[in-house]
């Protein structure tokens, strides 16, 4: 009787397709009231207040305002109470948005001990929470490696968010971004451009891609040609040369049905009358 969103989908749409207008005075006051309860180590009250507040303000949209308020009013928001309540929100709240608020607060405390790290890793496996775990991991000393491990374990919106924040610091990570980074159950378009640059796909394409590398490049090109949800091929200066190379070497591979369709789409793009204009 109602539309159900896939895990992480509503936050994904919020991040990619909407603009946050900022909190008004009334909503800021209600946020402050919830934070005051959190600082007092009053989990039940904070949980209830945050639940009510996040019914109008998605956690993913207000993360900057929430964290900025905490930092600016640190003298009135004791860290111990804030930390305890944040942990309780993550571990015990029955409301998804409240769990996210807890993770956003924990992010301010920097690198935690191993027990809290493990909690954040596990929570991040649910794609509704992946991006919030990733934001925490970005503050850790080995955060990029943690994001890489998490990215390989999720496959939908969680992977999209993780790949956007994953840096190709090692050859292993770069190769994974090339061959699997754009593969998700949503749309490859969301990360195709990011993966293209992070994986050095153009350099690979103009050498001799392996079968695995060609498949990864095909997935990226499929996403780049989409340009429905986000910009893609139009952001690449030498797109004509890249797609020409892709089409030229395609017959050297045993193409899957999906890869064949990508090649056909690339040919259509190359044959379009305004391509060279």
């Amino acid at each position: 009787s109602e539309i159900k969103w896939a895990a992480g989908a509503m936050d994904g749409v919020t991040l990619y397709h909407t603009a946050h207008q900022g909190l008004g005075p009334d909503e800021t006051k209600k946020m402050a009231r919830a934070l005051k309860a959190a600082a007092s180590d009053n989990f039940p009250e904070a949980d209830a207040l945050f639940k009510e507040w996040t019914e109008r303000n998605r956690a993913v949209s207000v993360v900057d305002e929430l964290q900025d308020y905490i930092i600016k009013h640190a003298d009135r928001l004791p860290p111990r109470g804030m930390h305890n309540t944040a942990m309780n929100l993550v571990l015990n709240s029955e409301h998804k948005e409240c769990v996210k608020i807890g993770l956003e607060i924990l992010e301010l405390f920097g690198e935690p001990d191993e027990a809290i790290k493990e909690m954040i890793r596990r929570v991040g496996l649910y794609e509704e929470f992946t991006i919030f775990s990733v934001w925490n991991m970005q503050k850790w000393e080995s955060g990029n490696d943690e994001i890489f491990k998490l990215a390989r374990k999720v496959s939908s919106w969680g992977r999209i968010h993780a790949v956007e924040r994953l840096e190709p610091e090692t050859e292993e990570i770069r190769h994974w971004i090339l061959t699997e980074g754009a593969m998700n159950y949503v749309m490859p378009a969301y990360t195709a451009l990011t993966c293209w640059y992070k994986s050095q796909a153009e350099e690979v394409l103009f050498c001799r891609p392996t079968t695995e590398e060609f498949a990864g490049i095909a997935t990226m090109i499929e996403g780049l040609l989409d340009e429905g949800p986000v910009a893609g091929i139009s952001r690449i200066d030498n797109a004509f040369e890249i797609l020409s190379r892709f089409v030229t070497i395609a017959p050297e591979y045993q193409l899957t049905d999906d890869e064949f369709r990508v090649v056909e789409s690339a040919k259509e793009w190359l044959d379009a009358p305004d391509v060279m204009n």
Side-chain angles (χ1 to χ4, degrees):
S1 61
E2 64 179 281
I3 295 175
K4 287 191 175 182
W5 292 77
M10 189 176 290
D11 282 347
V13 170
T14 299
L15 287 173
Y16 281 93
H17 303 295
T18 65
H20 178 51
Q21 301 301 318
L23 290 175
D26 289 344
E27 293 302 322
T28 300
K29 288 180 182 178
K30 291 174 181 177
M31 177 185 71
R33 184 183 172 198
L35 288 171
K36 182 179 179 181
S40 301
D41 207 359
N42 188 339
F43 165 64
E45 183 181 2
D47 187 43
L49 290 173
F50 276 126
K51 176 183 180 296
E52 179 185 357
W53 184 64
T54 54
E55 287 174 353
R56 298 177 303 278
N57 305 281
R58 292 193 65 78
V60 76
S61 298
V62 298
V63 55
D64 292 335
E65 288 154 303
L66 178 81
Q67 293 178 342
D68 287 346
Y69 187 93
I70 294 171
I71 293 170
K72 290 177 182 177
H73 298 85
D75 57 328
R76 288 183 284 167
L77 300 173
R80 180 176 178 179
M82 294 295 297
H83 189 272
N84 288 344
T85 301
M87 288 291 293
N88 267 308
L89 287 171
V90 176
L91 292 172
N92 300 317
S93 180
E94 297 179 359
H95 316 293
K96 293 177 183 178
E97 294 300 304
C98 292
V99 175
K100 297 171 187 178
I101 293 294
L103 288 166
E104 290 176 357
I105 295 173
L106 286 179
E107 186 186 339
L108 294 172
F109 288 87
E111 185 144 0
D113 60 32
E114 185 58 29
I116 297 177
K117 282 185 178 181
E118 183 60 21
M119 176 195 73
I120 292 171
R121 293 183 191 115
R122 291 181 179 235
V123 168
L125 293 173
Y126 180 41
E127 306 207 32
E128 184 74 23
F129 303 138
T130 305
I131 189 172
F132 300 91
S133 289
V134 167
W135 282 337
N136 274 269
M137 291 172 177
Q138 286 182 300
K139 304 295 177 66
W140 303 353
E141 185 176 352
S142 60
N144 199 61
D145 290 336
E146 295 281 357
I147 294 171
F148 181 41
K149 292 175 185 176
L150 182 56
R152 289 181 292 178
K153 294 177 180 177
V154 290
S155 57
S156 186
W157 278 104
R159 176 169 291 193
I160 291 171
H161 296 316
V163 167
E164 284 289 346
R165 292 152 184 85
L166 178 63
E167 295 302 324
E169 292 179 345
T170 66
E171 176 59 24
E172 181 187 10
I173 296 175
R174 186 204 64 79
H175 184 264
W176 182 84
I177 294 174
L178 174 69
T179 57
E180 297 185 50
M183 295 181 181
N184 60 71
Y185 292 135
V186 184
M187 296 175 74
Y190 280 106
T191 50
L193 191 62
T194 294
C195 291
W196 184 265
Y197 288 118
K198 288 184 178 182
S199 68
Q200 301 173 4
E202 181 178 343
E203 180 181 336
V204 176
L205 178 64
F206 280 91
C207 293
R208 181 65 174 85
T210 65
T211 300
E212 183 185 30
E213 290 170 340
F214 183 85
I217 289 171
T219 299
M220 281 185 269
I221 288 178
E222 177 189 0
L224 291 172
L225 289 171
D226 186 344
E227 295 210 290
V230 292
I233 198 70
S234 60
R235 294 287 184 87
I236 297 179
D237 293 335
N238 58 333
F240 188 89
E241 290 77 11
I242 286 170
L243 293 184
S244 295
R245 170 66 177 176
F246 175 69
V247 169
T248 299
I249 68 172
E252 301 174 18
Y253 299 86
Q254 187 68 39
L255 301 178
T256 65
D257 290 345
D258 288 340
E259 290 165 358
F260 180 80
R261 282 191 286 270
V262 177
V263 172
E264 290 298 301
S265 295
K267 287 180 179 178
E268 290 177 8
W269 188 93
L270 290 167
D271 291 338
D274 60 343
V275 164
M276 299 301 291
N277 295 333

